[in-house]
Amino acid sequence: DFYVFPCFTISFTEGFSVSTLEACAAGTVPIITDMDALGEVYKDSGAVIVPIGNRRTAWIETYRDRLIEMLLHGRVEGEDLGLDDRRLKCRRFAEDFDFSIIGPKFHAILEEGVRQKPKGVTDGGQPDSGDGDQGKPDLPEVQPNLPAEDPIR
């Protein structure tokens, strides 16, 4: 019924949390913190979001309380959204991030970036050498790191 992800890291992590999105898609209500970008990304998802704020450990009690409220009552105290409504909202949120929707949007963004690239500039941002390879990336030649003799023979 719930995806429990009490993210509190000492450094930035994934930020978007694909596992949280997968929980939403499965109709499982995530109970997360607002660490990294999670609070902003999932604010309209139906997830239960516990703010950490500037407190180092006090948020743990709030997180525990939200988890118990959801387990016992199917809702967070003071909110009208019940468990079934949260599940539905989570699924609908995840549908907006389905690859069949996001893939073409991402592709269009990349295509637009390629169209807007100034002429005479290589993909590495350096002026073109004028050798006729405009638009092709200036990649270093890669030599395979092979042993002098085949060790299997």
Side-chain angles (χ1 to χ4, degrees), residues 50-99:
V50 177
I52 290 180
N54 293 329
R55 304 172 295 168
R56 296 306 260 171
T57 57
W59 68 272
I60 297 171
E61 292 176 17
T62 305
Y63 190 92
R64 180 202 61 210
D65 293 346
R66 295 300 169 271
L67 179 58
I68 291 171
E69 290 168 0
M70 290 300 293
L71 288 171
L72 295 179
H73 308 293
R75 69 179 64 244
V76 172
E77 186 178 321
E79 293 185 12
D80 294 331
L81 202 58
L83 182 57
D84 290 336
D85 292 333
R86 279 189 188 276
R87 285 185 180 138
L88 182 60
K89 192 170 182 178
C90 287
R91 283 192 178 169
R92 287 184 177 152
F93 176 83
E95 287 172 0
D96 290 340
F97 291 93
D98 185 89
F99 189 76

Side-chain angles (χ1 to χ4, degrees), residues 20-146:
T20 301
L21 182 63
E22 290 172 345
C24 287
T28 302
V29 177
I31 302 176
I32 59 178
T33 64
D34 64 353
M35 189 69 174
D36 294 341
L38 295 180
E40 183 65 25
V41 171
Y42 291 97
K43 68 182 176 191
D44 297 321
S45 69
V48 176
I49 301 172
V50 177
I52 290 180
N54 293 329
R55 304 172 295 168
R56 296 306 260 171
T57 57
W59 68 272
I60 297 171
E61 292 176 17
T62 305
Y63 190 92
R64 180 202 61 210
D65 293 346
R66 295 300 169 271
L67 179 58
I68 291 171
E69 290 168 0
M70 290 300 293
L71 288 171
L72 295 179
H73 308 293
R75 69 179 64 244
V76 172
E77 186 178 321
E79 293 185 12
D80 294 331
L81 202 58
L83 182 57
D84 290 336
D85 292 333
R86 279 189 188 276
R87 285 185 180 138
L88 182 60
K89 192 170 182 178
C90 287
R91 283 192 178 169
R92 287 184 177 152
F93 176 83
E95 287 172 0
D96 290 340
F97 291 93
D98 185 89
F99 189 76
S100 65
I101 296 169
I102 296 298
K105 289 180 180 180
F106 184 64
H107 183 76
I109 290 168
L110 293 176
E111 288 290 325
E112 182 63 23
V114 168
R115 277 194 296 278
Q116 291 181 3
K117 186 177 89 170
K119 293 186 187 250
V121 175
T122 65
D123 289 342
Q126 301 297 318
D128 186 29
S129 63
D131 61 3
D133 286 335
Q134 286 183 337
K136 294 183 182 177
D138 288 339
L139 300 176
E141 187 174 326
V142 177
Q143 297 294 326
N145 187 10
L146 301 175

